[in-house]
Amino acid sequence: VGIGCIPSCSSTVSPHTFTAWCNSHLRKAGTQIENIEEDFRDGLKLMLLLEVISGERLAKPERGKMRVHKISNVNKALNFIASKGVKLVSIGAEEIVDGNAKMTLGMIWTIILRFAIQDISVEETSAKEGLLLWCQRKTAPYKNVNIQNFHISWKDGLGFCALIHRHRPELIDYGKLRKDDPMTNLNTAFDVAEKYLDIPKMLDAEDIVSTLRPDEKAIMTYVSCYYHAFSGKQKAETAANRICKVLAVNQENEQLMEDYEKLASDLLEWIRRTIPWLENRVPENTMQAMQQKLEDFRDYRRLHKPPKVQEKCQLEINFNTLQTKLRLSNRPAFMPSEGKMVSDISNAWGSLEGAEKGYEEWLLNEIRRLERLDHLAEKFRQKAAIHEAWTDGKEEMLQQKDYETASLSDIKALLKKHEAFESDLAAHQDRVEQIAAIAQELKSNISSYYDSPSVNARCQQICDQWDSLGVLTQKRSEALQRTEKLLETIDQLYLEFAKRAAPFNNWMEGAMEDLQDTFIVHTIEEIQGLSTAHEQFKATLPEADKERQAILGIHNEIAKIVQTYHVNMAGTNPYTTINPQEINAKWDKVRQLVPQRDQALIEEHARQQNNERLRRQFANQANVIGPWIQTKMEEIGRISIEMHGTLEDQLTHLRQYEKSIVNYKPKIDQLEGDHQLIQEALIFDNKHTNYTMEHIRVGWEQLLTTIARTINEIENQVLTRDAKGISQEQMNEFRASFNHFDRDHSGTLGTEEFKACLISLGFDIGNDAQKRTGMMDAEDFRACLISMGYNMGEAEFARIMSIVDPNRLGVITFQAFIDFMSRETADTDTADQVMASFKVLAGDKNYILADELRRELPADQAEYCIARMTPYTGPDAIPGALDYMSFSTALYGESDL
């Protein structure tokens, strides 16, 4: 701005206007002037006025009362004006000190032009033209207002009222104003501006109406106050909106962080409580107790674990969404509390599933063990009962002294009888050894049968009795042999009967034992083997019946001889206790047990057929569901890397895909029901399928997690695209480049693949490591890059890798790639921008007051700032001053909040 001399019309300028304008600024410093010619003569208030309107500190003023001191102060003010590019001509300090009204008003007009009007800029016009254009634009909608200058266009007062109504329509009822009532219009505008806009009355309505051509400088000065009032308000609103937006994002992110921490804590606590239960391997003594444990485990699988699987999946989704929002809002990445990272939760979940698998295997092994022990115990009791029935009375028999008074024939009979007993005793040796072996197995550490003490006691009693029988048998044999020389012949027929009846009787007892023996089988082949053996046994019955008839024939022959030769016999066989009635009774018992055994085998065969049906039923479904899950996993993988339609189309497709997967859940539940029937039937293997229920469960959970994670990735891509203004074509280009270098279709890029992808998109990453491009896996691709002249610096590439791979895993996901590309091509809020907004609200101060925050911001966000801003400690600090600069940097992670 160049001011040559005071214009000739300056004498018409109303001092009142300039005085009011000066006071509107001086009152900010707590002072004012009364007479513009007199109050600026010492230069003190003139320097103060310049400091207020410029925001800068002038040289220290002279406080003396002498003329030289005043001239010095005025010169400091004039020099400051000149330093701002204003050329002063014919205005000297002496004229101001002398109270020259013309020079004083000319100087004030120069200040107004420089500090109130020069900075006005509207569409490449500035100062007076810019202010006039601003007025024309703002009053254009008002048909009865035509602003062409700064004098007669304002005489009717409607121009002032239109400016106020355009920006603050609630202050003036513009429809009631009349063009033929300029006094009312002018006074209305001046009163409203003074009361609500803090613009003092600089003009007099009567002077404007009565003057043919109102003073142009006065009008411009007053109108410039309107411009600064309304433009300052607009800046404050813009600044407040920016801060509100930043604070809202920050508050939302803090809430998401709190939600993640709580959900992670709850899930980890549940895992911590559950693992000890799954690791408890204290066995139960009975099958019923172990079956209850298995039922409790099924309840855990059906009722307790599925909600936690959903919580884990939702936790990962929330974490990814939070990180995306933080990156989009230019905030630092969220680091959960120690031990609550997604990797920590995945590790804890892996430990849970490991314990779960081990617990199920242990339960099934324990049930098999108890079933086998119960079978052995029942077999022990049967054999022991048969043996004890056989040994009953044998000790008393061996201890008899009947041979001492017996006749010769009696002695011979006793000797033969004892030989038959020894044969019978030897035949029972195998049974005693079997009983001892079963008892030993039940006693072993591996089996640890709960009732082994009573079994051991009974076995010991049988063994002791067996040893006693052996000793007694030996003694009686020796006694009979000593008297054998005194004995003569004995009836060979009795002897033959005894010899043939004893093994036959033992065979019948063995047959009865076998026919009553319990059995346990798990397959059709095993029961068929038992049935075949049983049929073979039945095939021997005719020969056995012939032997029985032969033995009975010997007895009948003895009876015939006794009857024929009148032998003095007691009617019983002296060589054996076995008689025809006993043989017939046992034979009848064997014949009765054969059909019972037939029925038992038929029932077991039917049970095994049902088990086979259950196996095939489960296998038929598992062989369909297993490949179906694998196919869906592969299809989801293809969808995540292919580009068909917009992101919204892909998202719609994936959600429909997710719905179809969820609708498949009843088939999984049906398979679970079949699996439960198999476990209840104690079926432990299935040769018709390689899939177990555990495989199906794990695959199903992975499928649900994968589709949810893929949907979340697409949603985050939409969020990134919309927030960063990325077009669909750019997104397709990014995806095509990413897929081209993702040769293994893993959904991630290695370090060298990522470098090649950046180069393909036109990034120039330094010139100090051309040799590094040779580390690519494909030699032909390396030659291509070198031939194209791309050089890739280690320092620049390391910087980029720290952004896309902050955890240094060596791989870059597509989401990280998109975040980096959007950051390179889009603009976001920064700490400097927020700081500049706060500076506007603070009126260009280096600090801000709580009242200013409450005036410009919504109540909750104002209190949010007040609670977190630290006191300002700069040299210009006042009580209650708050430091908005450190607060702004803290919002973006550049310092602590």
Side-chain angles (χ1 to χ4, degrees), residues 317-331:
I317 291 174
N318 291 350
F319 180 84
N320 293 333
T321 301
L322 175 59
Q323 296 294 45
T324 299
K325 289 186 176 181
L326 289 173
R327 286 192 296 270
L328 293 178
S329 58
N330 205 21
R331 268 56 164 193

Side-chain angles (χ1 to χ4, degrees), residues 65 230 484 600 611 636 659 698 758 827:
K65 301 296 184 180
F230 292 133
E484 185 180 10
N611 289 353
I636 292 171
K659 183 177 180 181
V698 171
L758 289 182
D827 187 21

Side-chain angles (χ1 to χ4, degrees), residues 99 220 411 413 496 530 596 648 892:
M220 284 180 65
I411 291 299
E496 184 180 359
L530 290 177
Q596 294 177 8
E648 285 78 8
Y892 290 86

Side-chain angles (χ1 to χ4, degrees), residues 239-255 331 829 834 838 841 853 857-866 868-869 887-888 891-892 897:
N241 290 336
R242 179 182 290 274
I243 292 173
C244 290
K245 175 184 175 183
V246 171
L247 295 179
V249 170
N250 214 61
Q251 290 171 321
E252 181 184 0
N253 290 341
E254 287 179 355
Q255 184 62 46
R331 268 56 164 193
D829 292 324
V834 175
F838 274 115
L841 297 188
L853 288 172
L857 299 179
D860 60 332
Q861 296 186 343
E863 296 304 326
Y864 178 84
C865 294
I866 294 170
R868 287 165 172 76
M869 283 186 181
F887 175 77
S888 298
L891 286 176
Y892 290 86
L897 183 59

Side-chain angles (χ1 to χ4, degrees), residues 481-526:
Q481 288 175 2
R482 284 193 301 267
T483 59
E484 185 180 10
K485 296 178 181 180
L486 304 175
L487 301 178
E488 294 181 344
T489 63
I490 194 169
D491 192 342
Q492 292 299 319
L493 289 175
Y494 272 126
L495 181 59
E496 184 180 359
F497 176 89
K499 287 183 178 181
R500 295 182 68 175
F504 183 75
N505 181 68
N506 188 58
W507 174 85
M508 288 192 296
E509 289 181 348
M512 287 188 294
E513 180 181 350
D514 292 336
L515 291 171
Q516 298 178 84
D517 189 17
T518 59
F519 54 84
I520 177 171
V521 294
H522 295 97
T523 64
I524 290 288
E525 290 76 11
E526 291 176 356

